[in-house]
Amino acid sequence: MKSQGLNPSLFVRKGGELPLSGSALLELLRAVLDKGKPFRFRAKGSSMSPFVKDGDIITVSHLSGLSPRLGDVVAYVCAETGTLVVHRVVGRMGNCFLIWGDNAEGRDPVPEANVLGRVTRVERNGKDVSLCLGPERFLIAFLRRRELSWKTAHLLWRIMRPMYHWIQGLA
Amino acid sequence: MATQLRLTAVCAPSDDVVAREIEGEIIIVPLASGIGDADDELFTLNETGKAIWQLLDGKRTLQDVSRELSAEFEFPAGEIERDVLGLVEELLKRRILVEVSGT
């Protein structure tokens, strides 16, 4: 017989499938990273395309005391809007990082304290996507800083990659 | 053999989860592996599950929780107790809650 009571229920949701607003997502991300654990959520927008596309599932991990490196993709709180943003570190200026979307205009000088974590994984349609976090990240950061598009950076990396692997093979 | 959960038990959220009320919904994120069936699972509760969760503060017994909900929802205490025990057992099994005392 069906209970006539409260019928409390626990629901299981796949990580990243929860539709969270910016402030809610930020609160949850902070709480999980504060415990030193990674957090997965669904990315919105195209400012990091093609490396992160709208709807991709991204994993943000705690910085573990290590400052973000040039070319890393990080999650930070935008000082102006207070919202969560995921963009790439393209340089450093005093106590701030210069952080820029691969497919966006404008660089944000971001105080180190506003950087919450590092993007360590991107999944699209169930498969891992490369964020270009190898040596090519220097090139992407360098070219973005000079306001060249990711397409140019990507093309240059494709040309240089065989040489890089050949040098690695010699070492 | 598993110990039967009693109404004198006192339960609290586990340190292995982060739980937040976001936009009116309780969202529970496991921090340790093995709580969900997959590493990327999150948990949410329905409205009445949320009402129970909010009273599981590590101080009230399950009987206290049932009494408060019985008054709030105007349901017979016996039925509420059965619901509270059912949900708490599931949350304990998944290590989302821990029993503080009272077995």
Side-chain angles (χ1 to χ4, degrees):
Chain A
M1 198 176 87
K2 196 177 184 315
S3 165
Q4 297 299 305
L6 300 176
N7 296 318
S9 301
L10 178 74
F11 300 107
V12 179
R13 310 280 289 267
K14 293 292 281 180
E17 289 176 359
L18 217 53
L20 295 169
S21 72
S23 59
L25 184 61
L26 181 59
E27 185 183 342
L28 209 52
L29 176 68
R30 272 188 200 279
V32 174
L33 292 181
D34 280 351
K35 296 256 187 176
K37 299 290 180 181
F39 185 64
R40 295 169 86 238
F41 61 94
R42 191 174 289 276
K44 284 181 185 170
S46 58
S47 64
M48 277 299 289
S49 182
F51 299 109
V52 183
K53 289 186 174 174
D54 190 56
D56 286 354
I57 308 293
I58 62 178
T59 303
V60 176
S61 299
H62 195 264
L63 291 171
S64 305
L66 298 170
S67 275
R69 305 166 306 171
L70 187 67
D72 273 353
V73 178
V74 295
Y76 68 94
V77 183
C78 176
E80 278 179 23
T81 60
T83 54
L84 179 68
V85 183
V86 172
H87 281 167
R88 195 182 294 270
V89 176
V90 298
R92 195 154 187 163
M93 193 173 66
N95 290 328
C96 290
F97 289 102
L98 293 176
I99 301 181
W100 206 353
D102 288 347
N103 190 35
E105 295 302 318
R107 271 173 295 199
D108 275 340
V110 179
E112 192 161 0
N114 284 29
V115 180
L116 303 175
R118 184 180 280 116
V119 175
T120 49
R121 191 178 180 195
V122 178
E123 297 153 73
R124 189 176 303 149
N125 302 322
K127 290 181 181 170
D128 283 1
V129 176
S130 170
L131 264 177
C132 285
L133 293 178
E136 66 274 31
R137 67 190 161 84
F138 296 115
L139 186 65
I140 294 170
F142 175 81
L143 294 172
R144 286 304 287 145
R145 200 165 169 179
R146 274 145 191 81
E147 306 196 12
L148 290 167
S149 73
W150 67 267
K151 285 179 184 166
T152 314
H154 203 238
L155 180 66
L156 277 169
W157 170 243
R158 285 181 68 180
I159 294 165
M160 289 168 63
R161 187 164 51 185
M163 196 187 304
Y164 169 75
H165 288 308
W166 180 72
I167 291 166
Q168 268 196 323
L170 291 178
Chain B
M1 202 174 95
T3 313
Q4 197 179 0
L5 185 64
R6 294 169 193 271
L7 285 166
T8 51
V10 177
C11 297
S14 160
D15 285 340
D16 288 338
V17 300
V18 159
R20 288 286 184 282
E21 183 174 347
I22 290 173
E23 293 167 1
E25 189 171 31
I26 298 288
I27 296 173
I28 301 164
V29 184
L31 300 177
S33 58
I35 292 180
D37 297 325
D39 282 344
D40 62 341
E41 281 181 357
L42 306 176
F43 300 92
T44 58
L45 295 160
N46 67 356
E47 272 301 306
T48 49
K50 176 181 154 184
I52 295 172
W53 174 268
Q54 287 172 327
L55 295 175
L56 298 170
D57 57 0
K59 292 172 188 161
R60 294 171 169 94
T61 64
L62 299 185
Q63 192 148 42
D64 295 336
V65 171
S66 303
R67 277 195 202 117
E68 286 190 39
L69 293 173
S70 176
E72 185 183 339
F73 289 94
E74 297 177 353
F75 265 90
E79 286 180 13
I80 301 271
E81 283 169 3
R82 202 164 49 235
D83 283 341
V84 169
L85 287 172
L87 180 68
V88 169
E89 268 173 7
E90 187 178 357
L91 295 174
L92 285 170
K93 197 170 73 185
R94 287 191 178 268
R95 294 190 289 124
I96 291 171
L97 282 179
V98 288
E99 208 169 323
V100 179
S101 67
T103 48

